[in-house]
Amino acid sequence: SLKQIFESRGTSTRVVSYGNIKKIPQPLKIFFYFFRLLKASLGADVIYAFNIISCGMPAYLCSKILRKRFLIRLGGDFLWERAVEQGRSRQTLREYYESAAKTSQEKFAMFIIGKLLRSADKLIFTSDFQRQIYMKHYGFKVEKTAIIKNPFPEIGLKTPRKDYQLLYAGRLLKLKNLEFLIKVFYGLLSKTDKQVTLKIVGEGPEKANLSKYEKVTFVPSLPHQELMEEIAKSFVETKHEIKIK
């Protein structure tokens, strides 16, 4: 874990999670988390948040009150993901931000998020793609940012076999666009005589909707080692041109 890595290098680290306050309704949950974080931050030099809303906003307030350096890591996008999950948008992340068709609530949230991002000492992105979008729409300079990519563990892929497994592992959500993945899988089946399978691993609100598709194997969430084994025997080929209507 990140905590273990920091401490192995001599940096004392505290992890402040929601823990037993997860079941408290919003906005009380964030209120309680703020006081938990404030207490834990008293002896800290840096406050490092891992998302904008549930951790980022309390962390921002703590950093201002205690005059601590504030870092935030940005991976997903709260506003876009919520719009997709609620069925209000089928746009890509870039299209969502370029579009003027936003609710008053979204515009207010963008104002607050922009203030938070511009006040941070460092913004850590996982990709330059998202960084460029945020720089344009939230108005901060590249010098304030850094990119730390997600880890990609070495699994030790085996020699390719005659059959080909496509694999998805994660939450089954609308924003993952899994119906399109299934259509791509069907396109592959029509273009090759090889044994191609699609396995979808995970749980989520879209499972009932996706279960209607035939020839797809659905598996509940797997322990880490079993998932690594599934990844090791999965393949992706780009030899076939697939046209999806």
Side-chain angles (χ1 to χ4, degrees):
S1 69
L2 190 60
K3 181 179 187 295
Q4 291 173 324
I5 293 172
F6 278 140
E7 291 186 340
S8 70
R9 299 179 181 181
T11 302
S12 176
T13 306
R14 298 175 190 170
V15 176
V16 184
S17 67
Y18 271 78
N20 60 2
I21 63 174
K22 279 184 178 180
K23 295 183 179 180
I24 298 174
Q26 295 286 24
L28 284 177
K29 182 162 60 176
I30 291 183
F31 180 77
F32 280 106
Y33 180 77
F34 163 73
F35 282 104
R36 177 178 286 184
L37 182 60
L38 186 66
K39 181 180 179 181
S41 301
L42 289 174
D45 298 304
V46 176
I47 301 174
Y48 184 17
F50 273 74
N51 65 47
I52 292 179
I53 304 298
S54 59
C55 295
M57 289 188 174
Y60 165 71
L61 292 175
C62 290
S63 71
K64 290 300 180 183
I65 293 170
L66 301 176
R67 297 183 180 181
K68 308 290 186 181
R69 288 176 60 82
F70 173 49
L71 284 65
I72 185 165
R73 177 187 180 276
L74 300 135
D77 184 277
F78 171 76
L79 294 178
W80 171 68
E81 290 177 9
R82 186 173 64 172
V84 173
E85 282 301 309
Q86 292 177 348
R88 293 187 289 104
S89 175
R90 290 187 60 83
Q91 298 168 308
T92 64
L93 179 64
R94 189 188 300 278
E95 289 169 345
Y96 173 80
Y97 273 95
E98 294 290 345
S99 172
K102 292 186 177 64
T103 66
S104 57
Q105 186 180 27
E106 287 174 316
K107 291 177 182 178
F108 177 72
M110 285 186 66
F111 170 78
I112 297 298
I113 291 170
K115 183 174 179 59
L116 184 152
L117 295 177
R118 292 188 294 271
S119 298
D121 293 286
K122 203 74 174 181
L123 302 173
I124 299 170
F125 291 87
T126 57
S127 70
D128 186 55
F129 169 75
Q130 187 178 13
R131 176 170 67 174
Q132 293 298 328
I133 293 173
Y134 272 43
M135 284 172 57
K136 179 177 180 180
H137 295 281
Y138 288 117
F140 52 82
K141 295 183 179 180
V142 68
E143 290 78 14
K144 184 188 280 286
T145 72
I147 293 179
I148 301 178
K149 295 181 179 180
N150 289 324
F152 189 84
E154 291 187 9
I155 300 170
L157 294 176
K158 301 175 183 177
T159 304
R161 304 165 300 172
K162 292 182 179 180
D163 58 321
Y164 292 80
Q165 174 175 283
L166 307 181
L167 177 73
Y168 168 85
R171 289 275 289 158
L172 308 187
L173 304 170
K174 282 185 181 179
L175 67 93
K176 302 299 183 180
N177 209 0
L178 293 172
E179 287 194 271
F180 182 75
L181 171 63
I182 294 171
K183 290 177 181 178
V184 170
F185 166 61
Y186 287 163
L188 276 173
L189 291 178
S190 68
K191 294 290 184 178
T192 181
D193 56 358
K194 294 184 178 180
Q195 185 67 34
V196 182
T197 60
L198 172 59
K199 183 174 287 187
I200 294 180
V201 180
E203 302 288 348
E206 277 292 283
K207 187 167 186 177
N209 179 48
L210 296 172
S211 297
K212 67 188 179 186
Y213 290 99
E214 299 177 351
K215 302 180 181 179
V216 180
T217 302
F218 291 91
V219 178
S221 299
L222 295 173
H224 177 77
Q225 185 57 41
E226 290 184 33
L227 179 59
M228 293 299 102
E229 292 171 4
E230 288 293 338
I231 293 173
K233 61 185 181 184
S234 300
F235 301 88
V236 176
E237 281 205 327
T238 57
K239 292 180 181 178
H240 303 288
E241 181 182 353
I242 307 167
K243 295 182 180 179
I244 304 295
K245 293 184 180 180

